[in-house]
Every structure is written in structure tokens, then in C-alpha cells.
Amino acid sequence: MMLIIGTLLLVLYRQLVTEQQAQVRQHLLSEAQRYQQLSLTVDRRAFAAQIRASDSRTALIAWQGGVEMVGSLTLMPENMPLLPNTREFPIFTGGPEKLHILTGGVVMTRYGPVLIATRTDHLAALIDKFVSAALTALALTIVLALVVGYLFSKGLLSRLVHYNRLSERIEKGYYNTRLPVSGKQDEFDLLAAQFNRVLDTLEHNLHAVRGVTDNIAHDMRTPLSHLRIGLEQLPYQPPERLAERCGELTDELDHCLATFNAMLSLTRIEEGQQALELQPVSLHDLCADLREMAEALAEERQQTLTLETNEDYVVSGDKHLLFQALFNLVDNAIKYAGEGASICIRQRGGSIEISDNGPGIPEAAREKVFERLVRLDPSRHEQGSGLGLSMVKAILSRHHATINLTDNQPGLKVILNFPRA
């Protein structure tokens, strides 16, 4: 800023000096032409009279008209250049201002050289005043800039110090801390808003981790307790019960291992670590295979499983993972709809609906069931890992498909929408 102002003042100064010099030169040339024309039209005596009568406020004239010097000046300095070239020279007067600075040059006329000059010391004084005013303005600008810069930097520093204190709180584990947003919409507000969004995500993930940890402890405590008790009692089992009891403990252990393997598989799918074996997949054929696989499970519970399809729809995806996701949904419907329930698989183009007339899922819990190891309390008696719907959502996300849970009045309706291949 200071550099710009200084450069601007310098340009103005140079322009002022150049303009003043141009005006002086133009004025002297005009007077020179007048006296040249005058010398061609009048005699020597009239020429001298015109020089004596010249207005000294317009120009100072000197002409050596014989023995005496005629004009406003009593002398003609040596080595004066011919106009339009000019030179400055001083003269002394008897007034209060004893020294004047003149600028002039010589013009050749019919009656000899004539010195034409004008005062320029007042122009120098004007330029000095301009320089003084410019330096004063520059000094005031520098002082003002320093004051504004100090206040501005102090405000920025105070905000940075405040942000630093809040970051120290976050570092200590207070993840509910948020950076203040002033509403000025400046860079600090944008940074604070972005940082707060990161903190929101971090806090949500921490809550999710705590929830998963609690669910793991809840689901694993019972089978691990059974394993411990069973292992303690195993040496006291009669020989004929030993093999059967070992099989029961092995089933309990397999259930624990299946839960951890499902969690690892879910992580690989969500993080994209498991490559998809992409191929054209017919939703019509996929739903037909699904009904054929799940029909026996439905019959065991006296349930009715129906399939409705219309025009085929082909997607690009991993057929094994897509079948796993759909089977998990149908298996959940069979498990929780209750005996005698009606379950329907309906395929309409790129949309698949799996509906039942069971108890359904409360609206407040429909998003929660997609979290890891979340199982609604009424379902705790059913064997499972609580990862089925999480796995379904992860598989569908990898295939750019969506899933929504709605009320079937009564029961639950699951709607899947697939993009075309």
C-alpha cells in the first residue's frame, strides 16, 4: 500500500514538473515569435520602444540596442542558448526578494539577439509545497496504516489465541468443543465452519465406535460366558456326554468367530478393499434365485413367500454380493415377521421391494438398524450378529444403489433402487 501511494505521488510530481516546464517553454516561444515578427515590421527605434513598453509580468526582455541595454533586464548573461532551449539564471533586485530565478533563452531578430525570460522561482516554490504536502500525506498514510495494521493484527491474533485454546481443549478429549463463527464470512469463519464439520464427523464416529464397542460387549458376553463355564465343567462331564458337549461349545465359538469375520468382511467392503467381480446381473433372475433359496425357510414357519416380476433389468455388479444382500433382507423378513406371515418379493425394472405383514420397525429406529451390531430388543432372542443390514447397505453403496425402509401398514417394506448398467 505504501509503495503504491509513494509511486503515485512520484508520478504526480514528475507530471507537475513536466507540465510546468512545457508551459514555460511554450510561453517563451510565443514571445520569441512575436518579437521576430515585430522586428520585420517596424524600424529600429520603434522596436526599442516596444521592448521598453513590454509588460514585465508577461516576460522579461533584454536587447543590446547600441551602447545601452534596453528592456526589463539590465544585462544579458553569457552563453545563453537559442530558444527553444532554455537555461536558468539568477538576478538581483532591490526589493524584499533580492534574488530571483529566471528561465530564458535568446531569439535572433532582424536587430540582433533578444533575451526573453520569465520568472520560475514561484513555480519552484509551488513544487516545494507539493513535495511538502505529499510527504505529509505519505507520513500520515504510513501512521494510519500502522495503526490500522496493529488493530487488525491484534484482532487476528486474539482470534488465533482463542482458537488455540479451544484446540487444546479438543486435544484433551472435549470433542464437543466448537470454534466460534463471528458471522463476518471471512477466512477465519470459513476455516472455523469447516473445522466444526470435521469435529461433528469425528464426534459422530466416536459415538459410533462406542456404540459398536457396547454392542460387541453385549453380544459377545453371553457366548463367551457359556464357553468359559462349559470349559470349566468339561472335565466333570461323563464320557458319553463329552463329545456332545464339545460340539455345543464349538458352535458357541463358531458364532463368535462368525461375528468377527462378518465385521472384517464389512470393513473390507466399505473401504473398497474387496474387489468386485463385475458382470451383467439380471434382477429378474436374481429375484427368482432368491425365492427358490428362501422358500424352504419360509415353509418351516408356515409363511407364504411370493414373487412378482415384470420387465427385466440388467445391472453391472458382483452377483454373489448382491445375492447375499438380498438374501439377508428376505431372511430378516422370515425371522421377524412371525409365523403365518406373508412375504412378497416384487421387482419392477430397477426397483426391488421386499415386504411383509409382520410387526415392522418403528420409524425412529429405521436408520439406526443400519449401524453395526445394532439389534432391536425384540430381536435379541434370534440368533444373529447384528451386522446383516450394515452389510446390505455397504454392498448396495458399492453398487451405487439405494435402500429405504418404509411402513407396509402393517409390516415393513424395503425398497431397493439400482442404476442401469
Side-chain angles (χ1 to χ4, degrees):
M1 185 65 179
M2 298 300 100
L3 181 61
I4 294 175
I5 295 176
T7 303
L8 180 61
L9 291 176
L10 179 60
V11 170
L12 291 176
Y13 170 77
R14 293 180 64 86
Q15 186 175 359
L16 177 62
V17 172
T18 303
E19 184 69 20
Q20 294 295 339
Q21 291 176 346
Q23 289 181 5
V24 169
R25 186 177 294 109
Q26 184 63 32
H27 175 64
L28 294 177
L29 286 176
S30 177
E31 290 294 315
Q33 290 177 0
R34 187 168 76 87
Y35 281 101
Q36 279 181 331
Q37 293 295 328
L38 183 65
S39 67
L40 296 176
T41 57
V42 299
D43 57 16
R44 188 179 186 89
R45 180 176 296 179
F47 184 74
Q50 289 289 335
I51 291 178
R52 289 190 185 97
S54 64
D55 188 359
S56 61
R57 292 175 298 180
T58 303
L60 298 172
I61 310 299
W63 173 57
Q64 187 72 39
V67 178
E68 62 176 344
M69 185 70 65
V70 179
S72 303
L73 300 176
T74 58
L75 58 87
M76 182 181 296
E78 297 180 357
N79 301 324
M80 289 299 294
L82 293 176
L83 290 173
N85 296 322
T86 62
R87 181 168 72 85
E88 291 184 348
F89 60 94
I91 64 170
F92 293 92
T93 65
E97 297 180 0
K98 295 184 178 181
L99 179 64
H100 290 169
I101 301 299
L102 304 183
T103 299
V106 173
V107 59
M108 300 305 296
T109 68
R110 177 183 173 187
Y111 302 115
V114 177
L115 173 64
I116 302 176
T118 184
R119 286 187 60 180
T120 54
D121 46 2
H122 63 283
L123 299 179
L126 178 63
I127 292 175
D128 289 341
K129 291 180 180 180
F130 173 80
V131 171
S132 178
L135 292 177
T136 302
L138 184 60
L140 290 176
T141 303
I142 293 174
V143 172
L144 181 62
L146 290 175
V147 172
V148 173
Y150 170 75
L151 295 177
F152 183 71
S153 61
K154 185 177 180 181
L156 292 181
L157 184 60
S158 63
R159 294 178 73 177
L160 289 174
V161 170
H162 187 46
Y163 285 176
N164 186 58
R165 290 174 182 171
L166 293 177
S167 65
E168 290 176 354
R169 281 181 53 83
I170 297 170
E171 187 178 4
K172 292 177 181 178
Y174 297 95
Y175 298 113
N176 59 341
T177 304
R178 295 295 181 270
L179 300 184
V181 179
S182 65
K184 298 178 182 178
Q185 296 298 318
D186 56 8
E187 289 77 5
F188 281 93
D189 282 350
L190 296 177
L191 179 62
Q194 179 63 33
F195 195 69
N196 288 340
R197 286 193 290 270
V198 173
L199 289 175
D200 290 339
T201 303
L202 176 62
E203 190 174 16
H204 176 269
N205 291 338
L206 288 175
H207 284 311
V209 170
R210 293 191 184 105
V212 170
T213 303
D214 292 342
N215 289 329
I216 290 176
H218 185 280
D219 284 359
M220 294 293 102
R221 180 175 57 186
T222 299
L224 290 177
S225 297
H226 289 171
L227 279 172
R228 187 179 188 283
I229 294 172
L231 290 174
E232 288 178 348
Q233 295 176 350
L234 197 61
Y236 306 104
Q237 295 291 330
E240 63 274 10
R241 282 271 300 158
L242 191 59
E244 180 183 354
R245 188 58 181 154
C246 286
E248 295 173 353
L249 295 177
T250 302
D251 291 340
E252 292 278 2
L253 185 58
D254 287 341
H255 171 66
C256 296
L257 292 175
T259 299
F260 287 111
N261 288 334
M263 291 180 64
L264 292 175
S265 178
L266 175 59
T267 300
R268 287 195 294 269
I269 293 174
E270 288 179 337
E271 299 297 330
Q273 298 173 0
Q274 179 173 336
L276 301 180
E277 298 179 4
L278 297 177
Q279 58 181 303
V281 179
S282 165
L283 296 187
H284 184 283
D285 295 342
L286 195 64
C287 290
D289 294 341
L290 184 63
R291 179 181 182 276
E292 182 180 352
M293 180 69 70
E295 190 172 21
L297 297 176
E299 289 177 354
E300 290 181 2
R301 301 197 177 205
Q302 291 80 46
Q303 296 171 337
T304 303
L305 180 62
T306 58
L307 173 63
E308 299 177 8
T309 59
N310 56 11
E311 73 277 5
D312 198 5
Y313 192 90
V314 178
V315 299
S316 176
D318 189 311
K319 185 176 182 179
H320 171 72
L321 289 179
L322 289 175
F323 184 83
Q324 178 184 348
L326 292 176
F327 186 80
N328 277 343
L329 295 173
V330 175
D331 186 52
N332 282 348
I334 294 173
K335 284 182 180 179
Y336 306 125
E339 292 189 3
S342 297
I343 301 170
C344 180
I345 304 172
R346 186 178 292 108
Q347 179 256 328
R348 295 190 181 98
S351 176
I352 296 177
E353 297 179 2
I354 301 173
S355 58
D356 63 70
N357 59 352
I361 297 177
E363 184 176 357
R366 287 175 190 165
E367 288 299 323
K368 187 177 181 181
V369 295
F370 290 109
E371 298 176 7
R372 295 189 181 197
L373 298 172
V374 171
R375 299 169 64 198
L376 302 183
D377 289 339
S379 68
R380 288 291 183 184
H381 64 279
E382 293 288 351
Q383 184 77 6
S385 63
L387 295 169
L389 289 179
S390 299
M391 184 74 72
V392 169
K393 190 168 186 178
I395 292 173
L396 294 177
S397 295
R398 288 291 304 278
H399 289 82
H400 307 290
T402 60
I403 179 171
N404 292 292
L405 306 183
T406 61
D407 193 352
N408 196 39
Q409 298 178 351
L412 180 69
K413 180 186 294 185
V414 182
I415 303 175
L416 312 179
N417 289 297
F418 291 87
R420 187 177 293 276

